[in-house]
Amino acid sequence: MPLFMGHIYTYKPNYLEILAGIENQHVLQVPLVPPGVLTDNDDSKCVTVTMTIAMDTVWADSNDHDPSFGISDGERFIGFYLLDNRITNPCYKVEGDNVNNVLTNRVHERSDAKLSNPSQGYSSEVKIQIKPCEKWGSCHTEHEGGFVFIVNYQRNLDLTKGLYLEVYRTHAGEIYRIKYITVNVGMD
């Protein structure tokens, strides 16, 4: 069951719209694995989370639109910013702590690779993979035949607390239109 943070969303026929709010706000949390299922005493905590995200690209191309998608243990978050302005690249690494429903102590990193055609629109589909036990993640967009950014995270997630899909707003005025998110949690 999705847990929406306050009344900050509305359902439309073709998408979920997350309304404007405060900067770095925690706007969506969906439980993936309940607390206590993954333990520190065995290898079951080595999971790979694969998510595919589709946004309303017409909206994303014409508005400030930089959501962060990733996973958390309810307190620490690791994932990617999906950027609307592709002067450098379409996704950045981001990690931080959820303090009072705001992403704090953020660490972010961008790739040194640059798109040769940065005016190409917002990717119609983004694939993110994260392996929390290896502190590894990748972001793949459709730009220029496939833009891939592979990162290493600093934060360790405590998966005994559960595993959650989370979304954070970057700037206060941003509105997001999510067509779909598919998530697969695979055991290594």
Side-chain angles (χ1 to χ4, degrees), residues 5-187:
M5 312 315 293
H7 186 68
I8 56 174
Y9 64 93
T10 183
Y11 290 108
K12 302 286 184 179
N14 297 319
Y15 52 81
L16 169 70
E17 184 173 67
I18 296 177
L19 305 175
I22 64 172
E23 188 170 312
N24 298 314
Q25 183 178 17
H26 186 215
V27 296
L28 177 65
Q29 182 183 65
V30 179
L32 300 174
V33 178
V37 171
L38 303 173
T39 68
D40 285 331
N41 299 331
D42 58 37
D43 292 332
S44 69
K45 71 176 186 168
C46 286
V47 298
T48 301
V49 178
T50 303
M51 60 184 86
T52 304
I53 301 146
M55 308 297 280
D56 177 346
T57 57
V58 172
W59 179 261
D61 281 336
S62 58
N63 293 278
D64 191 13
H65 198 276
D66 307 309
S68 295
F69 288 86
I71 59 173
S72 85
D73 60 10
E75 296 175 9
R76 290 170 293 229
F77 171 83
I78 56 178
F80 290 91
Y81 286 124
L82 305 182
L83 284 95
D84 58 19
N85 184 347
R86 288 151 303 281
I87 293 169
T88 55
N89 55 38
C91 56
Y92 283 25
K93 170 185 106 168
V94 63
E95 56 186 299
D97 303 315
N98 182 344
V99 176
N100 298 320
N101 291 323
V102 174
L103 190 60
T104 62
N105 304 314
R106 288 185 328 271
V107 174
H108 47 83
E109 173 187 333
R110 66 178 182 201
S111 169
D112 290 334
K114 299 205 184 328
L115 297 175
S116 61
N117 182 13
S119 64
Q120 187 178 3
Y122 204 88
S123 186
S124 62
E125 200 172 75
V126 177
K127 182 177 179 181
I128 294 173
Q129 287 189 306
I130 301 174
K131 287 186 88 145
C133 68
E134 294 180 8
K135 297 197 228 175
W136 176 92
S138 71
C139 175
H140 179 269
T141 71
E142 298 170 339
H143 296 95
E144 299 176 2
F147 179 88
V148 178
F149 184 32
I150 297 173
V151 302
N152 290 300
Y153 295 103
Q154 298 171 8
R155 281 172 175 72
N156 284 315
L157 300 186
D158 181 357
L159 299 184
T160 64
K161 295 180 179 181
L163 183 62
Y164 304 89
L165 161 70
E166 290 191 348
V167 180
Y168 285 87
R169 172 182 291 105
T170 301
H171 302 108
E174 292 181 346
I175 295 172
Y176 305 130
R177 293 180 176 171
I178 302 171
K179 288 185 174 183
Y180 62 84
I181 305 172
T182 62
V183 181
N184 180 46
V185 179
M187 305 300 282

